[in-house]
């Protein structure tokens, strides 16, 4: 059964997986997030995650519009669903998105193949939150990981 | 070599099954396979079952006759007799008397031509004619059961073969009495009539009493296992008491079966079904013994003439008599034209009567040192072999011709014959892994599938969007514009393959609590079909209706 949005966020995210980054390309940003996620103790095979994320980007870029990117994948070498966030200091032009706007905020979601329901729910919750202009601005202007975390908690 | 009885039983049943399997492969009724194996291992073949073993195995044949009689009796429901009683009686009299008259006349004339002895020829004709009127219920019913036949012709066949034993016994009583008078033996026709009257009436009365007793006991029996044991025990008793009291085992068991089915139909019908399965190896052995008993020694040429006349005359008499009887009794054309074809089998009753005649007529010398008794025994043995080979095949032919073959089927029977490939939906609608969910939902709206295979660019099925996934996704419509089919698919579980038996498939689906599943090619993983429980059950029901001729 799908859990509530705030509960899902609490389970999947911790301030340690929120990064204020200075990447200059989509690949650099995604690689950074994957590496960080790989060190969080929940991912058993970082290369499998990297491969799955980039394979998914190969099918279609995960820029969902409004400056948001949601790279995501489900792999079996992960213990539970995890979320990592990067707020880049400037929009990335090479991150293709459905409204052709450059991407500045990236949510990387990794789940297990059998977590379809909560996985979809978390992606939908994130999509819902960032649709609000005020939430997006608050995330971009946040000065620290903790501030980003608080913006999200408040939004839910 | 001394062969133990148990080993003989083992060889008989096992060999019989192999014979049946071989004959079924060439589309010949299994009963011929049993008899053929009996011929091979019996007196005319390798002699594994010879003169020494046959008397020891005789009780086994009586037990089989009790089972057969009881199950045939179980098919005689009073309501059917109320509806068709006149027709059944007309057909039975027609086919019995037809065979009696033609075989009696033809074989009598031949015997007269060969021996010049008019009284002996008349006596032989009467006895052979009487014996020829009996039809073997065992092999006839075995074919009807094997091919799951159902319909008016089948019901009529069972009823007629069940009834004509009584006619054969009466004709035999008359025939041997007249024969005794003609050849001047020590016959007392009063005595023969009295003993056969006692045999007929006594058998029926004992059977009816046993039927009522069984009905009472079954009412108080708690479990199915105990009921079966009770039934088998009763049949052993029926066979034993009938033999001890010189009654007819098959008639007695038939009366018991008919009484039980009419007195407590609901309780006895499932029990008859169980008994039929239980009796299968006993039947096999019975028919193997029928084959083993047949002895084809060197005989004079004219005896083969008697055999030919008997077989041809009996065939014409049975078919023509059944046609006349059916016409006279106002039976429908289905019975007039086809029923006679199912009445050629000859078995235990004929052989038993020939043995009796063999004793009664052994003093009547003919030519070449042969006596009339030996001629009757040899002729009936040889003709039994011939008609047991053609009789079951003709039963199969007539039920096929009338379309009653395979109509007595249940859903379980249908399921047992099908594989997943027979009921799956081939070429299911697939979605590509890179398809946006908004497009996927457009596709979904146009089909009644509940699961959708997700395929990669090579066409291999890499996941499935199931009904459960669809429920979640339907709520989250804001992600449809950027999520792909590949993002939300769940792994494929290869529960079934195309060649999985349907019975196993249904059980697996129940265990998995699944309604629908995708089938993939084991090598390429290309989706080959969609197995949906509801569609599979609908297919089974449709096939059942088709087979039942509805």
């Amino acid at each position: 059964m799908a859990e509530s949005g705030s509960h899902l966020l609490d389970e999947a995210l911790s301030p340690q997986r929120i990064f204020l980054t200075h990447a200059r390309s989509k690949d650099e940003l995604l690689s950074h997030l994957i590496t960080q996620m790989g060190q969080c103790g929940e991912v058993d095979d970082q290369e499998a995650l990297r491969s799955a994320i980039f394979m998914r980007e190969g099918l279609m870029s995960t820029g969902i519009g409004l400056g948001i990117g949601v790279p995501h994948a489900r792999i079996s070498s992960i213990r539970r669903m995890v979320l990592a966030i990067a707020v880049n200091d400037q929009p990335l032009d090479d991150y293709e998105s459905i409204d052709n706007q450059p991407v500045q905020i990236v949510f990387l979601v990794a789940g297990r193949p059998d977590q379809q329901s909560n996985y979809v729910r978390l992606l939908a919750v994130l999509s819902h939150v960032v649709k609000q202009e005020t939430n997006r601005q608050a995330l971009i202007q946040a000065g620290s990981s903790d501030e980003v975390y608080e913006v999200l908690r408040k939004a839910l | 070599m001394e062969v133990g009885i148990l080993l003989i039983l083992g060889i008989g049943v096992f060999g019989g099954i192999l014979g049946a399997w071989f004959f079924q492969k060439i589309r010949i009724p299994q009963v011929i396979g049993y008899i053929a194996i009996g011929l091979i291992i019996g007196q005319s073949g390798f002699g594994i079952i010879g003169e020494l073993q046959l008397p020891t195995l005789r009780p086994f044949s009586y037990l089989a006759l009790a089972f057969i009689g009881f199950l045939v009796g179980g098919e005689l429901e009073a309501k059917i007799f109320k509806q068709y009683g006149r027709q059944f009686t007309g057909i039975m009299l027609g086919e019995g008397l037809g065979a009696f008259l033609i075989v009696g006349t033809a074989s009598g004339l031949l015997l007269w031509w060969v021996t010049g002895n008019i009284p002996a020829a008349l006596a032989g004709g009467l006895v052979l004619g009487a014996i020829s009127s009996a039809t073997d219920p065992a092999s006839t019913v075995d074919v009807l059961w094997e091919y799951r036949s159902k319909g008016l012709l089948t019901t009529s066949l069972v009823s007629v073969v069940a009834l004509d034993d009584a006619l054969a016994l009466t004709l035999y009583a008359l025939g041997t009495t007249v024969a005794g008078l003609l050849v001047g033996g020590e016959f007392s026709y009063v005595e023969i009539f009295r003993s056969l009257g006692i045999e007929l009436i006594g058998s029926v009365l004992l059977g009816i009493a046993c039927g009522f007793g069984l009905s009472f006991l079954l009412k108080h029996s708690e479990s199915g296992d105990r009921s079966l044991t009770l039934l088998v025990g009763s049949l052993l008793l029926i066979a034993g008491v009938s033999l001890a009291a010189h009654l007819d085992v098959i008639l007695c068991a038939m009366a018991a079966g008919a009484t039980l089915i009419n007195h407590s139909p609901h309780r006895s019908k499932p029990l008859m079904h169980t008994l039929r399965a239980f009796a299968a190896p006993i039947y096999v052995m019975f028919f193997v013994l029928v084959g083993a008993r047949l002895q084809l020694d060197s005989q004079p040429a004219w005896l083969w003439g008697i055999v030919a006349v008997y077989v041809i005359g009996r065939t014409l008499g049975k078919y023509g008599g059944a046609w006349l009887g059916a016409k006279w009794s106002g039976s429908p054309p289905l019975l007039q034209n086809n029923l006679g074809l199912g009445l050629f089998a000859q078995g235990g009753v004929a052989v038993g009567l020939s043995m009796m005649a063999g004793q009664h007529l052994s003093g009547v010398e003919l030519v070449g040192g042969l006596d009339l008794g030996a001629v009757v025994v040899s002729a009936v043995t040889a003709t039994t072999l011939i008609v047991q080979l053609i009789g079951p095949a003709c039963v199969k032919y007539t039920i096929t011709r009338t379309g009653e073959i395979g109509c007595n089927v249940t859903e379980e029977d249908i399921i047992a014959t099908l594989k997943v490939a027979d009921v799956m939906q081939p070429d299911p609608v697939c979605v590509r892994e890179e398809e946006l969910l908004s497009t996927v939902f457009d596709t979904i709206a146009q089909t009644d599938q509940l699961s959708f295979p997700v395929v990669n660019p090579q066409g291999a099925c890499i996941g499935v969007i199931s009904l459960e996934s669809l429920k979640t996704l339907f709520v989250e419509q804001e992600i449809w514009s950027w999520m792909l089919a590949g993002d939300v698919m769940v792994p494929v579980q290869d529960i079934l393959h195309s060649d999985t038996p349907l019975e196993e498939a249904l059980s697996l689906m129940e265990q998995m609590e699944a309604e629908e599943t995708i089938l993939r090619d084991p090598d390429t993983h290309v989706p080959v079909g969609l197995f949906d429980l509801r569609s599979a059950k609908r297919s089974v029901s449709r096939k059942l209706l088709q087979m039942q001729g509805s």
Side-chain angles (χ1 to χ4, degrees):
Chain A
M1 203 176 134
E3 297 171 35
S4 72
S6 59
H7 190 223
L8 278 174
L9 194 73
D10 283 345
E11 279 197 345
L13 184 65
S14 81
Q16 288 75 43
R17 286 197 293 276
I18 299 173
F19 308 96
L20 302 179
T21 53
H22 310 282
R24 291 296 165 260
S25 70
K26 175 183 177 181
D27 283 2
E28 187 189 342
L29 182 64
L30 292 187
S31 288
H32 176 72
L33 276 179
I34 291 164
T35 305
Q36 294 301 322
M37 191 177 263
Q39 290 165 359
C40 74
E42 301 295 346
V43 178
D44 292 333
D45 186 347
Q46 195 185 115
E47 283 317 301
L49 176 64
R50 189 183 304 277
S51 167
I53 291 288
F54 280 102
M55 193 179 287
R56 170 61 182 83
E57 293 300 319
L59 288 175
M60 183 184 155
S61 176
T62 51
I64 67 169
L66 306 171
I68 309 297
V70 189
H72 57 96
R74 283 180 296 162
I75 53 169
S76 48
S77 56
I78 197 166
R79 294 177 192 179
R80 64 185 179 88
M81 191 163 67
V82 281
L83 166 65
I85 301 172
V87 180
N88 206 32
D89 58 352
Q90 55 181 274
L92 298 169
D93 291 330
D94 68 342
Y95 204 131
E96 288 173 46
S97 64
I98 54 178
D99 62 356
N100 297 319
Q101 295 296 308
V103 169
Q104 194 171 5
I105 306 167
V106 173
F107 299 88
L108 191 145
V109 180
R112 292 179 53 80
D114 56 3
Q115 286 182 307
Q116 195 261 3
S117 179
N118 281 341
Y119 179 77
V120 167
R121 180 92 188 99
L122 180 61
L123 291 170
V125 165
L126 294 173
S127 166
H128 181 74
V129 168
V130 296
K131 268 190 178 170
Q132 309 293 322
E133 170 70 22
T134 50
N135 289 338
R136 288 200 305 276
Q137 286 309 317
L139 288 171
I140 290 167
Q141 285 162 13
S144 68
S145 303
D146 289 335
E147 268 185 59
V148 170
Y149 189 74
E150 280 312 308
V151 169
L152 286 172
R153 283 194 58 86
K154 276 182 193 160
L156 291 166
Chain B
M1 184 180 74
E2 177 99 3
V3 182
I5 291 297
L6 283 177
L7 186 56
I8 286 178
L9 291 175
I11 293 170
V13 174
F14 194 76
I17 290 293
L18 285 181
W21 176 79
F22 173 73
F23 276 80
Q24 277 181 321
K25 283 270 168 210
I26 52 174
R27 299 181 180 280
I28 290 176
Q30 60 189 8
V31 62
I32 300 174
Y34 304 148
I35 295 170
I37 292 296
L39 271 171
I40 293 168
I41 64 175
Q43 297 194 109
S44 299
F46 293 112
I48 297 170
I49 305 177
E51 272 181 38
L52 282 175
Q53 289 86 6
L54 280 168
T56 318
L57 290 164
R58 193 161 295 143
F60 194 87
S61 294
Y62 286 123
L63 177 63
L65 282 174
F67 272 87
I68 293 160
F70 187 80
L71 287 168
V72 169
E75 308 257 343
L76 305 178
E77 292 184 69
K79 61 180 181 195
I80 292 169
F81 272 87
K82 275 180 195 149
Q83 198 175 350
Y84 299 109
R86 184 164 173 266
Q87 280 113 322
F88 293 167
T89 312
I91 295 167
M92 187 263 292
L93 286 174
E95 57 92 16
L97 292 174
F100 173 71
L101 289 173
I102 296 182
V103 171
T105 309
S107 57
L109 283 172
L110 188 61
L111 276 171
W112 170 63
W113 182 68
V114 172
T115 64
N117 183 342
I118 293 176
L122 273 174
L126 281 170
V127 171
L128 284 171
I131 292 172
S132 75
S133 66
T135 316
D136 180 32
S139 52
T140 310
V141 171
D142 190 83
V143 177
L144 298 177
W145 287 342
E146 180 189 354
Y147 293 103
R148 297 181 174 277
S149 185
K150 191 180 178 184
L152 180 59
L153 180 87
T154 305
T155 308
S156 309
L157 263 178
V158 173
S159 306
V160 171
V161 297
L163 293 174
D164 81 352
D165 273 6
L167 177 70
L169 290 173
T170 311
L171 287 174
Y172 179 79
L174 281 166
T176 43
T177 306
V178 178
L181 293 171
L182 288 168
V183 295
E186 295 171 3
F187 281 91
S188 156
Y189 85 95
V190 175
E191 180 55 32
I192 286 188
F193 259 95
R194 198 181 64 84
S195 62
L196 280 169
I198 290 173
E199 185 174 340
L200 276 176
I201 298 167
S203 304
V204 173
L205 287 180
L206 177 64
I208 291 173
C210 290
F212 278 119
L214 250 177
S215 178
F216 173 79
L217 290 172
L218 289 176
K219 198 175 168 185
H220 296 93
S221 166
E222 287 152 14
S223 69
D225 287 350
R226 187 175 291 174
S227 299
L228 181 66
T229 313
L230 196 63
L231 201 54
V232 173
S234 305
L235 288 173
L236 282 163
L237 276 176
I238 285 172
V241 172
S242 301
L243 287 172
H246 302 290
L247 299 176
D248 187 80
V249 175
I250 200 164
L251 208 57
C252 185
M254 214 181 276
T259 307
L260 184 66
I261 199 78
N262 288 296
H263 191 245
S264 38
H266 297 300
R267 203 168 294 124
S268 51
K269 267 187 185 164
L271 205 52
M272 292 281 183
H273 197 73
T274 315
L275 185 71
R276 196 184 293 182
F278 178 84
I282 301 173
Y283 281 170
V284 176
M285 196 59 212
F286 170 75
F287 288 115
V288 169
L289 288 176
V290 168
R293 204 174 288 123
L294 296 173
Q295 213 169 356
L296 304 172
D297 294 338
S298 59
Q299 303 286 1
W302 60 267
L303 189 68
W304 291 109
I306 299 254
V307 169
V309 159
Y310 183 104
V311 172
I312 295 167
R314 185 172 178 274
T315 307
L316 291 174
K318 289 261 171 195
Y319 185 78
W323 179 80
L324 268 177
K327 201 147 185 90
W328 169 76
S329 59
S331 304
L334 173 91
L335 298 185
Q336 289 176 27
N337 300 328
N338 300 294
L339 197 128
L341 287 170
L343 297 170
F344 299 150
Q346 174 174 286
V349 171
V351 173
L353 291 177
S354 76
M355 298 294 177
M356 280 167 69
Q359 285 175 348
H360 290 150
L361 303 172
S362 59
V364 184
E365 283 291 328
L366 296 175
V367 286
L370 267 179
D371 64 66
L372 186 55
V375 167
V376 170
V377 172
S378 300
V380 172
T381 304
T383 56
T384 300
L385 171 64
I386 296 166
V387 295
Q388 279 298 59
L389 296 181
I390 59 169
C394 288
V395 175
K396 185 190 169 192
Y397 172 72
T398 194
I399 56 173
T400 308
R401 195 162 91 147
T402 52
E404 294 191 2
I405 194 166
C407 288
N408 190 15
V409 286
T410 61
E411 242 178 44
E412 287 73 26
D413 297 326
I414 303 279
I415 289 170
T417 63
L418 296 175
K419 290 186 172 177
V420 164
D422 301 321
V423 295
M424 73 182 186
Q425 177 190 326
D427 307 319
V429 175
C430 300
V431 292
R432 286 173 289 110
E433 66 171 324
E434 70 275 18
E435 248 179 85
L436 279 171
L437 281 187
S438 49
T439 321
V440 171
F441 271 95
D442 283 344
T443 309
I444 288 169
Q446 289 164 26
T447 77
D448 57 0
Q449 264 177 236
L450 299 177
S451 298
F452 294 82
V454 178
V455 293
N456 65 13
Q458 289 74 43
C461 176
I462 52 170
V464 58
I465 296 182
S466 65
L467 179 66
E468 205 52 41
S469 323
L470 293 177
K471 282 186 206 161
T472 318
L473 294 169
F474 198 75
V475 181
E476 313 293 0
Q477 296 196 12
E478 56 194 335
I479 62 170
W480 289 11
S481 57
W482 55 271
M483 287 277 275
L484 307 181
D487 296 334
V488 295
M489 68 187 185
V490 292
V492 190
Q493 288 180 298
D494 290 312
I495 306 173
L496 308 175
H497 299 287
S498 302
D499 57 356
T500 307
L502 182 58
E503 195 173 2
E504 189 187 328
L506 293 174
S507 159
L508 284 168
M509 294 293 280
E510 196 179 327
Q511 280 172 30
M512 307 287 290
E513 295 182 353
E515 283 285 316
E516 207 173 67
T517 191
I518 305 292
L519 288 103
R520 303 193 292 182
D521 181 286
D523 301 320
T524 62
H525 285 183
V526 169
V528 291
L530 180 79
F531 181 83
D532 162 31
L533 263 188
R534 287 172 309 166
S535 303
K537 286 177 182 170
R538 268 203 302 275
S539 295
V540 169
S541 300
R542 214 167 28 243
K543 281 183 198 298
L544 183 63
L545 287 173
Q546 278 169 2
M547 294 194 78
Q548 287 176 338
S550 301

